[in-house]
Amino acid sequence: MYYVYMLRCDDNSLYTGITSDIEKRLNEHINKLKTAASYTKSHSVVSIEALWSTIDRSSASQLEHKIKKLPKEKKEALIYSQNTIEDYERLFICNRLKDMFK
């Protein structure tokens, strides 16, 4: 299983990525380990805003690409349109997102 996630940084920007181990990846971003993305090394992560599960890496990559192409307003709408569940345990089916990409 792969995950697509969105992080909020201290400057209110959003970072989108994929991983198969969300706890490990968050640790890398938050602690700015050498395996963290360049973006999160220069923009401190303050929270995880959304997390979706996918069946494989290909699906995760496709979803990540579509989200990254969205303007910030649509990314914010995508985040706030979801049902609230505690912390990063918010897992959603990718089909619910297809209307955001039209």
Side-chain angles (χ1 to χ4, degrees):
M1 180 161 310
Y2 279 81
Y3 301 94
V4 178
Y5 59 92
M6 290 177 66
L7 305 176
R8 186 166 310 274
C9 298
D10 60 356
D11 62 353
N12 204 35
S13 63
L14 296 169
Y15 172 81
T16 304
I18 65 171
T19 186
S20 60
D21 186 339
I22 192 64
E23 289 184 29
K24 177 182 174 190
R25 193 65 178 140
L26 285 175
N27 180 56
E28 292 169 350
H29 287 307
I30 292 168
N31 293 304
K32 301 182 184 216
L33 301 180
K34 67 180 180 177
T35 52
S38 297
Y39 190 85
T40 58
K41 287 180 184 176
S42 62
H43 297 78
S44 296
V45 173
V46 294
S47 64
I48 184 161
E49 294 293 318
L51 180 69
W52 299 275
S53 63
T54 63
I55 57 172
D56 57 26
R57 183 175 176 83
S58 176
S59 299
S61 293
Q62 290 173 15
L63 178 59
E64 177 193 34
H65 178 73
K66 288 178 180 180
I67 291 172
K68 285 185 171 188
K69 286 176 34 178
L70 293 174
K72 188 164 192 282
E73 311 84 60
K74 284 202 173 190
K75 290 177 186 178
E76 295 286 358
L78 183 60
I79 291 166
Y80 292 111
S81 69
Q82 299 175 42
N83 297 326
T84 302
I85 300 176
E86 296 176 3
D87 299 325
Y88 64 85
E89 295 175 343
R90 299 186 291 177
L91 302 176
F92 300 94
I93 300 171
C94 294
N95 291 356
R96 294 181 60 199
L97 305 177
K98 63 183 175 185
D99 291 340
M100 292 297 297
F101 305 119
K102 290 183 178 178

